[in-house]
Amino acid sequence: MWRIAVAVGTALYLALVGLPLVALVVRVPPGDLIRRAASPLVLQAFKLSLFTSLTATLLVAAFGLPVAYILATRNFPGRRVLETLAELPMVIPPTVAGVGLLLAFGRAGLAGGVLSALGLQIPFTTLAVVIAEAFVAMPFFVSTTAAGLREVEPRYREAAVTLGATPPYTFRRVLLPLAFPSLMAGGAMTWARALGEFGATITFAGNLPGRTETLPLAVYIALQSDLPAAVALSVILLIFSFALLLTLRSFSTGWHGTRIYAHASRR
């Protein structure tokens, strides 16, 4: 009975996840997919999506790594509150995130006066797309990286301290190499989430071709008037996201991560 229950649960899961994906793929003839992928509008949205999602991932890594380090290695009052704040963008609706960003960085927002005095206007710009993607994707990097840092055995850090290593040196030469697969997995999830971001982007950055219209927004606009185009764009985004996750996950858990871990363990 247990095996039957597991098999039924797995089959239902695969049906729920797989059927919509299969329905997209079989709907588009390969020739039509290639033709639409080469159109100027799709290439423009694709290039913008790559630029903004990669930039957002780099920002998330720069800002999220210190937070992950603190959560993984320190116990302090308010730690649970910081963990909750770090993961909150993962559960709030993306549209709510977009409204919050607009009220924070818009002209009448909390930081609007300071930004205006500096001559900066963030909403409805490419920078707004980057900020929106970074906001919604950051929890994926922080949670995964913090979990990887926690898994590093304390004896390695203790040995480094015994040998006189400073905290920055221990972090750079001990913790980072051992947690490298988790960093790569977190980066992959962050990039994929940023690449597929829609709600916060359209609310905070709008939909301006060439400036803020990423692939998910292009799919939404095409869906209003051209269903075949929307399906083709969806398949393009699906293929790229799948390839991205598969490649980075294989890299993070494969030869490179294993070699780093083995090398650090020998030391």
Side-chain angles (χ1 to χ4, degrees):
M1 291 298 296
W2 171 250
R3 292 180 179 179
I4 294 175
V6 171
V8 170
T10 303
L12 291 175
Y13 172 82
L14 292 176
L16 179 62
V17 175
L19 281 179
L21 304 182
V22 172
L24 282 173
V25 174
V26 300
R27 186 70 179 266
V28 184
D32 187 45
L33 181 63
I34 295 174
R35 178 177 61 83
R36 292 187 181 275
S39 67
L41 290 178
V42 173
L43 290 177
Q44 184 182 64
F46 185 71
K47 290 178 182 178
L48 181 63
S49 293
L50 279 182
F51 171 76
T52 56
S53 61
L54 282 172
T55 305
T57 302
L58 293 176
L59 288 177
V60 167
F63 299 154
L65 189 57
V67 177
Y69 172 75
I70 292 174
L71 292 177
T73 60
R74 298 288 189 271
N75 288 317
F76 53 90
R79 181 172 175 270
R80 295 300 180 187
V81 176
L82 180 58
E83 284 182 332
T84 303
L85 289 175
E87 296 176 357
L88 188 60
M90 188 186 301
V91 297
I92 63 174
T95 307
V96 175
V99 173
L101 291 171
L102 195 60
L103 294 178
F105 302 108
R107 289 183 177 180
L110 294 179
V114 176
L115 294 174
S116 297
L118 296 175
L120 297 176
Q121 180 179 349
I122 295 180
F124 308 107
T125 64
T126 303
L127 178 59
V129 178
V130 174
I131 293 175
E133 292 177 348
F135 181 86
V136 299
M138 188 169 291
F140 294 89
F141 181 83
V142 172
S143 298
T144 306
T145 302
L149 292 172
R150 290 191 191 100
E151 291 178 358
V152 177
E153 295 186 23
R155 61 191 178 96
Y156 293 119
R157 282 186 292 165
E158 294 170 359
V161 172
T162 302
L163 294 173
T166 61
Y169 184 88
T170 302
F171 176 72
R172 188 179 74 253
R173 298 300 298 271
V174 178
L175 289 179
L176 279 185
L178 293 176
F180 183 77
S182 296
L183 266 71
M184 290 300 299
M189 293 298 297
T190 300
W191 190 10
R193 180 64 186 88
L195 189 65
E197 163 52 30
F198 172 79
T201 301
I202 198 170
T203 306
F204 183 47
N207 182 48
L208 304 174
R211 292 181 60 188
T212 65
E213 187 180 73
T214 57
L215 269 181
L217 272 64
V219 172
Y220 175 75
I221 296 302
L223 191 61
Q224 310 304 311
S225 58
D226 190 352
L227 180 60
V231 175
L233 288 171
S234 299
V235 172
I236 292 171
L237 193 56
L238 170 64
I239 293 173
F240 185 82
S241 299
F242 180 82
L244 167 66
L245 281 177
L246 182 63
T247 300
L248 292 183
R249 281 186 175 276
S250 299
F251 178 77
S252 65
T253 58
W255 175 85
H256 192 58
T258 302
R259 183 172 180 176
I260 290 178
Y261 189 90
H263 177 71
S265 298
R266 288 195 299 267
R267 291 174 65 88

